[in-house]
Amino acid sequence: METNWTRLVTVRELGRRRKLRVEAGDTAIALFQTDDRIYAFRDLCVHQDRSLAKGTLLHGRVICPGHQWAFDLDTGYEEDQDLCQPTYAVKVEGDVVYVDLTRSPDYAETATSPAEVD
């Protein structure tokens, strides 16, 4: 399978905030870092077009600042809704975070722990 990895930021740039809005071409992406993974979501919420990077990380979910929809970090789904927030495949090589906007993540196979880059 061909991939189209785009360099976004370094793990250090993501840093302590654990969330960051970045651009990949015309696409706004919200990056989130939990204990051992980095996730990439389309930044604008499917419900109210609010920036998810301004949301809150809580219990494996990102909470939208608009109407508090809680999107699962692994799947992009909101438990009580039919809508799914678009997510993207992420990989970390060295200290650099890459995203592939052409495919959804398979965290079992592609997620890389930020601890592995230290």
Side-chain angles (χ1 to χ4, degrees), residues 11-65:
V11 173
R12 274 195 174 67
E13 289 171 312
L14 184 55
R16 293 182 191 180
R17 291 180 302 234
R18 296 181 23 219
K19 57 185 182 175
L20 184 65
R21 183 182 191 274
V22 296
E23 302 280 334
D26 294 335
T27 305
I29 298 168
L31 292 176
F32 301 100
Q33 181 177 351
T34 61
D35 294 332
D36 62 346
R37 289 195 175 145
I38 295 174
Y39 301 86
F41 279 61
R42 187 181 76 186
D43 187 46
L44 292 179
C45 175
V46 293
H47 177 228
Q48 293 255 322
D49 286 336
R50 297 284 185 95
S51 172
L52 289 179
K54 294 180 180 179
T56 303
L57 286 174
L58 184 65
H59 306 297
R61 300 186 182 285
V62 59
I63 313 300
C64 176

Side-chain angles (χ1 to χ4, degrees), residues 50-107:
R50 297 284 185 95
S51 172
L52 289 179
K54 294 180 180 179
T56 303
L57 286 174
L58 184 65
H59 306 297
R61 300 186 182 285
V62 59
I63 313 300
C64 176
H67 282 96
Q68 287 68 54
W69 282 20
F71 296 101
D72 183 90
L73 286 172
D74 284 320
T75 65
Y77 280 100
E78 205 293 333
E79 183 174 286
D80 298 323
Q81 305 298 327
D82 292 332
L83 297 175
C84 179
Q85 184 67 29
T87 59
Y88 307 108
V90 173
K91 74 175 179 177
V92 177
E93 288 185 352
D95 188 40
V96 179
V97 178
Y98 295 87
V99 68
D100 184 343
L101 299 177
T102 65
R103 43 183 225 141
S104 297
D106 179 358
Y107 288 110

